[in-house]
């Protein structure tokens, strides 16, 4: 029931023209993911669900407020007709809260840390889709300077704060924040690129999350001993992480390349330079994950309890997603 509600809420939001419908879809989404977050009945999971609920409720209220304000001044309830400046500002704030863009990002790593890997994957991909579509539809009327500022801050904070983490879910949360920065910087100039970036990011993150889920790794020391269980899977995880970091022969380079090109066309070479340099920070912690997964072989100095060996067959979706997240760069001319 909750999964179907999740799909329903997303579909309502992405196919609506009226602000109230979009808001209703976001609400259905929030209410459907809450039981999934708190499924384990662990106090940490309940806390995560509560934090998630409060931030998303506040963001939904702001969406409603900005659309009502716009309707009050212009008489328009149409999503694409958001023209009143105050409404645009409030909407940017609301969507940033929904997505977890800096400075509204504090809830996201905490919520990710409280849930399982699969729900974490849902939170960082499926739950970001409706707000991104709203951003896509309203992008012509939003303030580019504000979005660029939020984007650069997001990439910076996502990089800086991910450096010191040992919990894999938190590292992936910060990586999500910095990817959202890349999406937000180009939304005013070429919204289609934002969607492309989002799709590719979803694919690569899904590959990483599913791989980690099959290794059952939640923190870095677990990853240190996982090599002996499934060497092939770990080797491929190394490549997928590098793809997520955006290194050239892999898929992850494609959106970064296009976004830098678009920013250069818009005479925003300084912004492009800054955002590229800041993404080196996140490259560092991807490398750290990769290093723990494949490059250090046990035995080594880290004390860690050996895991039980559960020989689960690697499922097909991991194989497909990983292959796609390593080999899609040649599709760039299309």
């Amino acid at each position: 029931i909750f999964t179907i509600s999740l799909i329903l809420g997303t579909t309502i939001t992405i196919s609506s023209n009226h602000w109230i419908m979009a808001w209703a879809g976001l609400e259905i989404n929030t209410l459907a993911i809450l039981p999934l977050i708190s499924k384990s009945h662990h106090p940490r999971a309940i806390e995560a669900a509560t934090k998630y609920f409060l931030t998303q409720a506040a963001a939904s209220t702001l969406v409603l407020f900005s659309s009502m304000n716009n309707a009050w001044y212009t008489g328009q309830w149409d999503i694409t007709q958001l023209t009143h400046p105050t409404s645009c500002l409030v909407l940017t704030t609301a969507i940033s809260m929904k997505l977890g863009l800096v400075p509204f990002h504090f809830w996201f790593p905490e919520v990710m840390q409280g849930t399982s890997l699969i729900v974490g994957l849902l939170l960082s991909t499926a739950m970001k889709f409706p707000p991104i579509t709203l951003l896509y539809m309203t992008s012509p009327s939003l303030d580019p300077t504000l979005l660029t500022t939020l984007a650069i801050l997001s990439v910076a904070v996502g990089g800086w704060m991910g450096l010191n983490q040992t919990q894999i879910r938190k590292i992936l949360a910060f990586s999500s924040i910095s990817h959202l920065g890349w999406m937000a910087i180009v939304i005013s100039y070429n919204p289609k690129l934002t969607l492309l970036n989002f799709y590719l990011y979803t694919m690569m993150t899904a590959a990483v999350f599913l791989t980690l889920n099959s290794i059952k790794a939640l923190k870095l020391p677990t990853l240190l001993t996982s090599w002996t269980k499934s060497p092939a899977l770990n080797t491929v995880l190394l490549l997928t992480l590098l793809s997520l970091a955006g290194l050239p022969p892999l898929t992850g380079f494609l959106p970064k390349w296009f976004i830098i090109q678009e920013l250069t066309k818009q005479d925003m070479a300084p912004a492009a330079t800054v955002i590229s340099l800041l993404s080196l920070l996140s490259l560092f912690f991807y490398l750290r994950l990769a290093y723990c997964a494949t490059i250090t072989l046990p035995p080594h100095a880290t004390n860690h309890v050996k895991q039980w060996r559960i020989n689960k067959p690697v499922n097909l979706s991991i194989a497909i997603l990983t292959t796609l997240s390593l080999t899609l760069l040649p599709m760039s001319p299309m």
Side-chain angles (χ1 to χ4, degrees):
I1 288 176
F2 294 126
T3 316
I4 292 169
S5 305
L6 212 62
I7 297 168
L8 173 75
T10 308
T11 314
I12 289 178
T13 304
I14 64 181
S15 58
S16 58
N17 289 315
H18 195 289
W19 271 113
I20 299 290
M21 284 299 282
W23 169 80
L26 290 172
E27 284 296 305
I28 293 173
N29 248 358
T30 305
L31 294 176
I33 195 91
L34 285 173
L36 299 180
I37 297 177
S38 57
K39 187 161 168 259
S40 66
H41 299 300
H42 190 275
R44 194 69 199 261
I46 309 289
E47 183 190 342
T50 313
K51 284 177 179 168
Y52 185 78
F53 172 72
L54 291 173
T55 46
Q56 298 298 312
S60 291
T61 315
L62 284 174
V63 167
L64 206 52
F65 174 66
S66 78
S67 51
M68 280 173 64
N69 195 35
N70 188 61
W72 176 261
Y73 279 104
T74 62
Q76 281 288 347
W77 277 105
D78 199 323
I79 294 184
T80 49
Q81 304 288 328
L82 191 79
T83 46
H84 194 255
T86 318
S87 298
C88 293
L89 190 65
V90 175
L91 184 84
T92 310
T93 311
I95 300 280
S96 306
M97 274 176 81
K98 281 243 169 247
L99 290 173
L101 280 174
V102 175
F104 309 102
H105 65 287
F106 295 99
W107 61 274
F108 189 46
E110 299 293 325
V111 173
M112 287 281 276
Q113 186 51 38
T115 64
S116 67
L117 281 167
I118 297 296
V119 181
L121 170 62
L122 277 179
L123 281 173
S124 52
T125 55
M127 301 304 290
K128 305 274 158 133
F129 187 46
I132 281 190
T133 52
L134 287 180
L135 209 56
Y136 180 86
M137 288 190 276
T138 53
S139 58
S141 45
L142 300 178
D143 181 15
T145 321
L146 175 65
L147 282 170
T148 307
T149 314
L150 288 181
I152 290 178
L153 281 174
S154 293
V155 180
V157 168
W160 279 120
M161 292 179 71
L163 294 181
N164 206 16
Q165 303 292 338
T166 56
Q167 295 286 346
I168 295 177
R169 284 164 297 184
K170 277 197 176 173
I171 292 182
L172 288 167
F174 287 117
S175 108
S176 179
I177 291 171
S178 68
H179 274 276
L180 283 165
W182 278 91
M183 291 174 219
I185 198 164
V186 82
I187 188 99
S188 307
Y189 309 107
N190 193 342
K192 284 204 170 61
L193 268 187
T194 299
L195 286 186
L196 174 76
N197 192 346
F198 179 73
Y199 298 145
L200 294 177
Y201 162 73
T202 303
M203 203 171 62
M204 296 182 290
T205 312
V208 171
F209 267 106
L210 291 172
T211 308
L212 291 169
N213 188 50
S214 86
I215 302 175
K216 299 261 177 291
L218 293 178
K219 50 187 191 294
L220 291 179
T222 320
L223 216 50
L224 285 168
T225 54
S226 67
W227 170 261
T228 45
K229 280 195 271 183
S230 47
L233 191 59
N234 275 40
T235 313
V236 171
L237 177 64
L238 162 81
L239 290 171
T240 317
L241 284 164
L242 293 182
S243 176
L244 205 51
L247 292 187
L250 307 165
T251 310
F253 178 58
L254 187 140
K256 285 191 166 45
W257 175 22
F258 281 173
I259 286 172
I260 291 171
Q261 188 182 356
E262 181 62 36
L263 290 176
T264 320
K265 279 182 197 163
Q266 301 289 344
D267 289 337
M268 289 173 67
T273 311
V274 169
I275 203 170
S276 311
L277 287 173
L278 287 172
S279 69
L280 289 175
L281 290 168
S282 36
L283 171 66
F284 178 81
F285 62 74
Y286 290 126
L287 275 175
R288 197 161 132 221
L289 273 171
Y291 185 80
C292 287
T294 52
I295 304 167
T296 49
L297 287 179
H300 39 61
T302 310
N303 293 323
H304 181 64
V305 181
K306 279 275 193 280
Q307 301 271 319
W308 284 98
R309 286 174 181 250
I310 304 162
N311 286 330
K312 271 186 9 183
V314 176
N315 62 12
L316 187 63
S317 54
I318 298 185
I320 295 172
L321 285 166
T322 309
T323 311
L324 287 177
S325 47
L326 299 184
T327 55
L328 276 187
L329 192 65
M331 82 166 195
S332 45
M334 292 186 271

